[in-house]
mmCIF file of all heavy atoms in Angstrom:
data_model
loop_
_atom_site.group_PDB
_atom_site.id
_atom_site.type_symbol
_atom_site.label_atom_id
_atom_site.label_comp_id
_atom_site.label_asym_id
_atom_site.label_seq_id
_atom_site.Cartn_x
_atom_site.Cartn_y
_atom_site.Cartn_z
ATOM 1 N N SER E 73 180.598 -12.573 40.612
ATOM 2 C CA SER E 73 180.377 -11.196 40.172
ATOM 3 C C SER E 73 179.743 -10.333 41.233
ATOM 4 O O SER E 73 179.620 -9.119 41.062
ATOM 5 C CB SER E 73 179.525 -11.180 38.912
ATOM 6 O OG SER E 73 178.258 -11.747 39.177
ATOM 7 N N SER E 74 179.304 -10.935 42.341
ATOM 8 C CA SER E 74 178.635 -10.173 43.392
ATOM 9 C C SER E 74 179.588 -9.866 44.552
ATOM 10 O O SER E 74 179.152 -9.405 45.595
ATOM 11 C CB SER E 74 177.429 -10.956 43.935
ATOM 12 O OG SER E 74 177.857 -12.175 44.553
ATOM 13 N N ALA E 75 180.891 -10.110 44.372
ATOM 14 C CA ALA E 75 181.856 -9.884 45.431
ATOM 15 C C ALA E 75 183.130 -9.292 44.830
ATOM 16 O O ALA E 75 183.377 -9.372 43.641
ATOM 17 C CB ALA E 75 182.173 -11.187 46.168
ATOM 18 N N ALA E 76 183.912 -8.675 45.726
ATOM 19 C CA ALA E 76 185.196 -8.101 45.318
ATOM 20 C C ALA E 76 186.309 -8.683 46.157
ATOM 21 O O ALA E 76 186.109 -9.120 47.286
ATOM 22 C CB ALA E 76 185.171 -6.575 45.482
ATOM 23 N N THR E 77 187.509 -8.691 45.588
ATOM 24 C CA THR E 77 188.690 -9.203 46.281
ATOM 25 C C THR E 77 189.544 -8.043 46.768
ATOM 26 O O THR E 77 189.780 -7.084 46.024
ATOM 27 C CB THR E 77 189.516 -10.103 45.349
ATOM 28 O OG1 THR E 77 188.740 -11.223 44.951
ATOM 29 C CG2 THR E 77 190.789 -10.582 46.045
ATOM 30 N N PHE E 78 190.001 -8.158 48.024
ATOM 31 C CA PHE E 78 190.865 -7.162 48.613
ATOM 32 C C PHE E 78 192.181 -7.836 49.012
ATOM 33 O O PHE E 78 192.159 -8.882 49.691
ATOM 34 C CB PHE E 78 190.216 -6.534 49.844
ATOM 35 C CG PHE E 78 188.997 -5.697 49.518
ATOM 36 C CD1 PHE E 78 187.768 -6.309 49.277
ATOM 37 C CD2 PHE E 78 189.080 -4.320 49.440
ATOM 38 C CE1 PHE E 78 186.640 -5.556 48.968
ATOM 39 C CE2 PHE E 78 187.970 -3.549 49.144
ATOM 40 C CZ PHE E 78 186.737 -4.181 48.909
ATOM 41 N N TYR E 79 193.284 -7.240 48.618
ATOM 42 C CA TYR E 79 194.589 -7.781 48.940
ATOM 43 C C TYR E 79 195.220 -6.932 50.051
ATOM 44 O O TYR E 79 195.332 -5.711 49.902
ATOM 45 C CB TYR E 79 195.489 -7.780 47.702
ATOM 46 C CG TYR E 79 196.914 -8.246 47.960
ATOM 47 C CD1 TYR E 79 197.201 -9.583 48.130
ATOM 48 C CD2 TYR E 79 197.948 -7.309 48.055
ATOM 49 C CE1 TYR E 79 198.518 -10.000 48.383
ATOM 50 C CE2 TYR E 79 199.250 -7.714 48.294
ATOM 51 C CZ TYR E 79 199.526 -9.068 48.445
ATOM 52 O OH TYR E 79 200.825 -9.469 48.697
ATOM 53 N N THR E 80 195.637 -7.589 51.129
ATOM 54 C CA THR E 80 196.249 -6.892 52.263
ATOM 55 C C THR E 80 197.767 -6.958 52.153
ATOM 56 O O THR E 80 198.351 -8.016 51.955
ATOM 57 C CB THR E 80 195.811 -7.501 53.597
ATOM 58 O OG1 THR E 80 196.285 -8.850 53.694
ATOM 59 C CG2 THR E 80 194.308 -7.483 53.724
ATOM 60 N N LEU E 81 198.401 -5.787 52.253
ATOM 61 C CA LEU E 81 199.847 -5.722 52.116
ATOM 62 C C LEU E 81 200.569 -6.337 53.307
ATOM 63 O O LEU E 81 201.643 -6.933 53.165
ATOM 64 C CB LEU E 81 200.278 -4.254 51.968
ATOM 65 C CG LEU E 81 199.792 -3.536 50.697
ATOM 66 C CD1 LEU E 81 200.084 -2.063 50.788
ATOM 67 C CD2 LEU E 81 200.450 -4.133 49.459
ATOM 68 N N ASP E 82 199.999 -6.208 54.498
ATOM 69 C CA ASP E 82 200.693 -6.701 55.702
ATOM 70 C C ASP E 82 200.674 -8.223 55.785
ATOM 71 O O ASP E 82 201.675 -8.853 56.123
ATOM 72 C CB ASP E 82 200.095 -6.086 56.957
ATOM 73 C CG ASP E 82 198.602 -6.318 57.066
ATOM 74 O OD1 ASP E 82 197.962 -6.601 56.028
ATOM 75 O OD2 ASP E 82 198.079 -6.184 58.184
ATOM 76 N N GLU E 83 199.533 -8.838 55.422
ATOM 77 C CA GLU E 83 199.417 -10.282 55.514
ATOM 78 C C GLU E 83 199.751 -10.998 54.201
ATOM 79 O O GLU E 83 200.008 -12.210 54.207
ATOM 80 C CB GLU E 83 197.978 -10.667 55.919
ATOM 81 C CG GLU E 83 197.534 -10.134 57.267
ATOM 82 C CD GLU E 83 196.121 -10.550 57.552
ATOM 83 O OE1 GLU E 83 195.247 -10.371 56.668
ATOM 84 O OE2 GLU E 83 195.865 -11.067 58.644
ATOM 85 N N GLY E 84 199.712 -10.255 53.089
ATOM 86 C CA GLY E 84 199.859 -10.907 51.801
ATOM 87 C C GLY E 84 198.698 -11.856 51.555
ATOM 88 O O GLY E 84 198.872 -12.904 50.919
ATOM 89 N N ARG E 85 197.539 -11.492 52.043
ATOM 90 C CA ARG E 85 196.372 -12.373 52.010
ATOM 91 C C ARG E 85 195.205 -11.649 51.324
ATOM 92 O O ARG E 85 195.133 -10.422 51.320
ATOM 93 C CB ARG E 85 195.980 -12.755 53.440
ATOM 94 C CG ARG E 85 194.734 -13.618 53.578
ATOM 95 C CD ARG E 85 194.505 -14.056 54.990
ATOM 96 N NE ARG E 85 193.250 -14.788 55.134
ATOM 97 C CZ ARG E 85 192.852 -15.389 56.246
ATOM 98 N NH1 ARG E 85 193.633 -15.342 57.320
ATOM 99 N NH2 ARG E 85 191.715 -16.038 56.296
ATOM 100 N N GLU E 86 194.311 -12.441 50.742
ATOM 101 C CA GLU E 86 193.157 -11.881 50.076
ATOM 102 C C GLU E 86 191.879 -12.154 50.876
ATOM 103 O O GLU E 86 191.723 -13.187 51.506
ATOM 104 C CB GLU E 86 192.999 -12.476 48.670
ATOM 105 C CG GLU E 86 194.167 -12.130 47.751
ATOM 106 C CD GLU E 86 194.016 -12.717 46.381
ATOM 107 O OE1 GLU E 86 192.971 -13.397 46.129
ATOM 108 O OE2 GLU E 86 194.902 -12.525 45.520
ATOM 109 N N TYR E 87 190.963 -11.163 50.812
ATOM 110 C CA TYR E 87 189.640 -11.287 51.428
ATOM 111 C C TYR E 87 188.593 -11.012 50.377
ATOM 112 O O TYR E 87 188.732 -10.077 49.594
ATOM 113 C CB TYR E 87 189.493 -10.315 52.602
ATOM 114 C CG TYR E 87 190.332 -10.653 53.811
ATOM 115 C CD1 TYR E 87 191.629 -10.187 53.916
ATOM 116 C CD2 TYR E 87 189.839 -11.483 54.814
ATOM 117 C CE1 TYR E 87 192.418 -10.497 54.997
ATOM 118 C CE2 TYR E 87 190.624 -11.813 55.898
ATOM 119 C CZ TYR E 87 191.919 -11.323 55.989
ATOM 120 O OH TYR E 87 192.693 -11.648 57.072
ATOM 121 N N THR E 88 187.568 -11.831 50.352
ATOM 122 C CA THR E 88 186.451 -11.641 49.445
ATOM 123 C C THR E 88 185.268 -11.084 50.231
ATOM 124 O O THR E 88 184.852 -11.676 51.229
ATOM 125 C CB THR E 88 186.045 -12.962 48.762
ATOM 126 O OG1 THR E 88 187.150 -13.465 48.016
ATOM 127 C CG2 THR E 88 184.871 -12.753 47.838
ATOM 128 N N ILE E 89 184.763 -9.952 49.775
ATOM 129 C CA ILE E 89 183.673 -9.266 50.474
ATOM 130 C C ILE E 89 182.494 -9.143 49.533
ATOM 131 O O ILE E 89 182.633 -8.588 48.431
ATOM 132 C CB ILE E 89 184.114 -7.872 50.955
ATOM 133 C CG1 ILE E 89 185.282 -7.994 51.948
ATOM 134 C CG2 ILE E 89 182.942 -7.119 51.599
ATOM 135 C CD1 ILE E 89 185.785 -6.655 52.467
ATOM 136 N N PRO E 90 181.324 -9.677 49.910
ATOM 137 C CA PRO E 90 180.129 -9.556 49.051
ATOM 138 C C PRO E 90 179.667 -8.098 48.965
ATOM 139 O O PRO E 90 179.763 -7.349 49.931
ATOM 140 C CB PRO E 90 179.097 -10.432 49.759
ATOM 141 C CG PRO E 90 179.553 -10.487 51.191
ATOM 142 C CD PRO E 90 181.041 -10.419 51.150
ATOM 143 N N LEU E 91 179.190 -7.717 47.793
ATOM 144 C CA LEU E 91 178.766 -6.344 47.551
ATOM 145 C C LEU E 91 177.353 -6.331 46.974
ATOM 146 O O LEU E 91 176.926 -7.290 46.331
ATOM 147 C CB LEU E 91 179.731 -5.643 46.583
ATOM 148 C CG LEU E 91 181.197 -5.561 47.048
ATOM 149 C CD1 LEU E 91 182.062 -4.972 45.955
ATOM 150 C CD2 LEU E 91 181.313 -4.711 48.315
ATOM 151 N N PRO E 92 176.642 -5.241 47.156
ATOM 152 C CA PRO E 92 175.270 -5.144 46.634
ATOM 153 C C PRO E 92 175.253 -4.963 45.122
ATOM 154 O O PRO E 92 176.268 -4.605 44.495
ATOM 155 C CB PRO E 92 174.701 -3.909 47.346
ATOM 156 C CG PRO E 92 175.903 -3.056 47.621
ATOM 157 C CD PRO E 92 177.028 -4.034 47.933
ATOM 158 N N ASP E 93 174.076 -5.178 44.524
ATOM 159 C CA ASP E 93 173.888 -4.937 43.088
ATOM 160 C C ASP E 93 173.942 -3.430 42.813
ATOM 161 O O ASP E 93 173.681 -2.621 43.708
ATOM 162 C CB ASP E 93 172.533 -5.490 42.654
ATOM 163 C CG ASP E 93 172.502 -7.019 42.653
ATOM 164 O OD1 ASP E 93 173.597 -7.616 42.497
ATOM 165 O OD2 ASP E 93 171.414 -7.592 42.849
ATOM 166 N N PRO E 94 174.276 -3.059 41.569
ATOM 167 C CA PRO E 94 174.595 -3.926 40.425
ATOM 168 C C PRO E 94 175.964 -4.590 40.576
ATOM 169 O O PRO E 94 176.798 -4.150 41.371
ATOM 170 C CB PRO E 94 174.575 -2.955 39.255
ATOM 171 C CG PRO E 94 174.906 -1.644 39.837
ATOM 172 C CD PRO E 94 174.312 -1.646 41.205
ATOM 173 N N SER E 95 176.170 -5.646 39.816
ATOM 174 C CA SER E 95 177.386 -6.441 39.913
ATOM 175 C C SER E 95 178.628 -5.573 39.813
ATOM 176 O O SER E 95 178.762 -4.735 38.925
ATOM 177 C CB SER E 95 177.393 -7.503 38.792
ATOM 178 O OG SER E 95 178.647 -8.118 38.715
ATOM 179 N N ILE E 96 179.569 -5.783 40.728
ATOM 180 C CA ILE E 96 180.802 -4.999 40.742
ATOM 181 C C ILE E 96 181.643 -5.307 39.504
ATOM 182 O O ILE E 96 182.462 -4.478 39.063
ATOM 183 C CB ILE E 96 181.614 -5.261 42.030
ATOM 184 C CG1 ILE E 96 182.702 -4.225 42.225
ATOM 185 C CG2 ILE E 96 182.183 -6.672 42.035
ATOM 186 C CD1 ILE E 96 182.199 -2.817 42.432
ATOM 187 N N SER E 97 181.443 -6.478 38.901
ATOM 188 C CA SER E 97 182.219 -6.839 37.708
ATOM 189 C C SER E 97 181.794 -6.017 36.483
ATOM 190 O O SER E 97 182.505 -5.981 35.497
ATOM 191 C CB SER E 97 182.058 -8.320 37.411
ATOM 192 O OG SER E 97 180.725 -8.634 37.068
ATOM 193 N N ARG E 98 180.645 -5.379 36.572
ATOM 194 C CA ARG E 98 180.165 -4.533 35.469
ATOM 195 C C ARG E 98 180.448 -3.064 35.712
ATOM 196 O O ARG E 98 179.951 -2.210 34.978
ATOM 197 C CB ARG E 98 178.655 -4.724 35.264
ATOM 198 C CG ARG E 98 178.220 -6.145 35.087
ATOM 199 C CD ARG E 98 178.889 -6.829 33.941
ATOM 200 N NE ARG E 98 178.670 -6.142 32.670
ATOM 201 C CZ ARG E 98 179.207 -6.521 31.522
ATOM 202 N NH1 ARG E 98 180.013 -7.558 31.492
ATOM 203 N NH2 ARG E 98 178.929 -5.873 30.412
ATOM 204 N N ARG E 99 181.238 -2.794 36.737
ATOM 205 C CA ARG E 99 181.519 -1.385 37.074
ATOM 206 C C ARG E 99 183.031 -1.146 37.109
ATOM 207 O O ARG E 99 183.803 -2.024 37.516
ATOM 208 C CB ARG E 99 180.914 -1.014 38.430
ATOM 209 C CG ARG E 99 179.403 -1.014 38.447
ATOM 210 C CD ARG E 99 178.882 -0.408 39.736
ATOM 211 N NE ARG E 99 178.614 -1.384 40.748
ATOM 212 C CZ ARG E 99 178.263 -1.077 41.991
ATOM 213 N NH1 ARG E 99 178.165 0.167 42.368
ATOM 214 N NH2 ARG E 99 178.031 -2.039 42.878
ATOM 215 N N PHE E 100 183.442 0.031 36.713
ATOM 216 C CA PHE E 100 184.839 0.447 36.846
ATOM 217 C C PHE E 100 185.043 1.070 38.213
ATOM 218 O O PHE E 100 184.181 1.786 38.747
ATOM 219 C CB PHE E 100 185.210 1.477 35.777
ATOM 220 C CG PHE E 100 185.733 0.874 34.506
ATOM 221 C CD1 PHE E 100 184.903 0.687 33.419
ATOM 222 C CD2 PHE E 100 187.084 0.517 34.400
ATOM 223 C CE1 PHE E 100 185.386 0.134 32.242
ATOM 224 C CE2 PHE E 100 187.575 -0.028 33.234
ATOM 225 C CZ PHE E 100 186.726 -0.216 32.153
ATOM 226 N N LEU E 101 186.202 0.798 38.807
ATOM 227 C CA LEU E 101 186.619 1.457 40.041
ATOM 228 C C LEU E 101 187.386 2.694 39.642
ATOM 229 O O LEU E 101 188.510 2.607 39.167
ATOM 230 C CB LEU E 101 187.493 0.510 40.876
ATOM 231 C CG LEU E 101 186.931 -0.897 41.138
ATOM 232 C CD1 LEU E 101 187.956 -1.740 41.866
ATOM 233 C CD2 LEU E 101 185.614 -0.823 41.908
ATOM 234 N N ILE E 102 186.810 3.872 39.838
ATOM 235 C CA ILE E 102 187.437 5.095 39.340
ATOM 236 C C ILE E 102 187.961 6.000 40.468
ATOM 237 O O ILE E 102 188.518 7.042 40.218
ATOM 238 C CB ILE E 102 186.471 5.895 38.445
ATOM 239 C CG1 ILE E 102 185.221 6.312 39.220
ATOM 240 C CG2 ILE E 102 186.098 5.090 37.214
ATOM 241 C CD1 ILE E 102 184.329 7.264 38.447
ATOM 242 N N GLY E 103 187.792 5.553 41.711
ATOM 243 C CA GLY E 103 188.311 6.364 42.823
ATOM 244 C C GLY E 103 187.923 5.776 44.164
ATOM 245 O O GLY E 103 187.096 4.853 44.238
ATOM 246 N N SER E 104 188.526 6.310 45.199
ATOM 247 C CA SER E 104 188.175 5.896 46.559
ATOM 248 C C SER E 104 188.618 6.975 47.522
ATOM 249 O O SER E 104 189.498 7.809 47.228
ATOM 250 C CB SER E 104 188.833 4.552 46.924
ATOM 251 O OG SER E 104 190.248 4.696 46.981
ATOM 252 N N GLY E 105 188.021 6.963 48.710
ATOM 253 C CA GLY E 105 188.399 7.907 49.738
ATOM 254 C C GLY E 105 187.445 7.859 50.899
ATOM 255 O O GLY E 105 186.243 7.598 50.732
ATOM 256 N N HIS E 106 187.969 8.065 52.110
ATOM 257 C CA HIS E 106 187.145 8.147 53.310
ATOM 258 C C HIS E 106 186.311 6.877 53.540
ATOM 259 O O HIS E 106 185.183 6.940 54.029
ATOM 260 C CB HIS E 106 186.244 9.379 53.291
ATOM 261 C CG HIS E 106 186.971 10.662 53.038
ATOM 262 N ND1 HIS E 106 187.714 11.280 54.033
ATOM 263 C CD2 HIS E 106 187.124 11.410 51.922
ATOM 264 C CE1 HIS E 106 188.275 12.376 53.546
ATOM 265 N NE2 HIS E 106 187.934 12.472 52.273
ATOM 266 N N GLY E 107 186.859 5.721 53.160
ATOM 267 C CA GLY E 107 186.167 4.461 53.386
ATOM 268 C C GLY E 107 185.134 4.112 52.327
ATOM 269 O O GLY E 107 184.387 3.134 52.489
ATOM 270 N N TRP E 108 185.077 4.882 51.242
ATOM 271 C CA TRP E 108 184.129 4.642 50.175
ATOM 272 C C TRP E 108 184.877 4.445 48.852
ATOM 273 O O TRP E 108 185.991 4.917 48.679
ATOM 274 C CB TRP E 108 183.162 5.810 50.021
ATOM 275 C CG TRP E 108 182.250 5.997 51.185
ATOM 276 C CD1 TRP E 108 182.602 6.469 52.421
ATOM 277 C CD2 TRP E 108 180.855 5.710 51.248
ATOM 278 N NE1 TRP E 108 181.494 6.473 53.241
ATOM 279 C CE2 TRP E 108 180.400 6.032 52.558
ATOM 280 C CE3 TRP E 108 179.924 5.209 50.329
ATOM 281 C CZ2 TRP E 108 179.080 5.859 52.949
ATOM 282 C CZ3 TRP E 108 178.601 5.034 50.721
ATOM 283 C CH2 TRP E 108 178.200 5.365 52.011
ATOM 284 N N VAL E 109 184.232 3.732 47.924
ATOM 285 C CA VAL E 109 184.758 3.546 46.565
ATOM 286 C C VAL E 109 183.794 4.213 45.602
ATOM 287 O O VAL E 109 182.565 4.183 45.782
ATOM 288 C CB VAL E 109 184.896 2.047 46.232
ATOM 289 C CG1 VAL E 109 185.336 1.849 44.796
ATOM 290 C CG2 VAL E 109 185.878 1.391 47.187
ATOM 291 N N ILE E 110 184.335 4.854 44.555
ATOM 292 C CA ILE E 110 183.502 5.490 43.545
ATOM 293 C C ILE E 110 183.537 4.609 42.317
ATOM 294 O O ILE E 110 184.602 4.276 41.803
ATOM 295 C CB ILE E 110 184.023 6.892 43.200
ATOM 296 C CG1 ILE E 110 184.171 7.733 44.481
ATOM 297 C CG2 ILE E 110 183.079 7.605 42.221
ATOM 298 C CD1 ILE E 110 184.897 9.036 44.291
#
Side-chain angles (χ1 to χ4, degrees):
S73 62
S74 64
T77 298
F78 293 80
Y79 176 76
T80 63
L81 296 170
D82 55 340
E83 299 179 311
R85 178 174 175 174
E86 296 180 1
Y87 290 89
T88 299
I89 298 179
L91 300 175
D93 290 332
S95 169
I96 194 64
S97 65
R98 307 302 302 178
R99 293 189 266 174
F100 270 97
L101 309 175
I102 61 172
S104 66
H106 306 283
W108 294 72
V109 175
I110 307 170

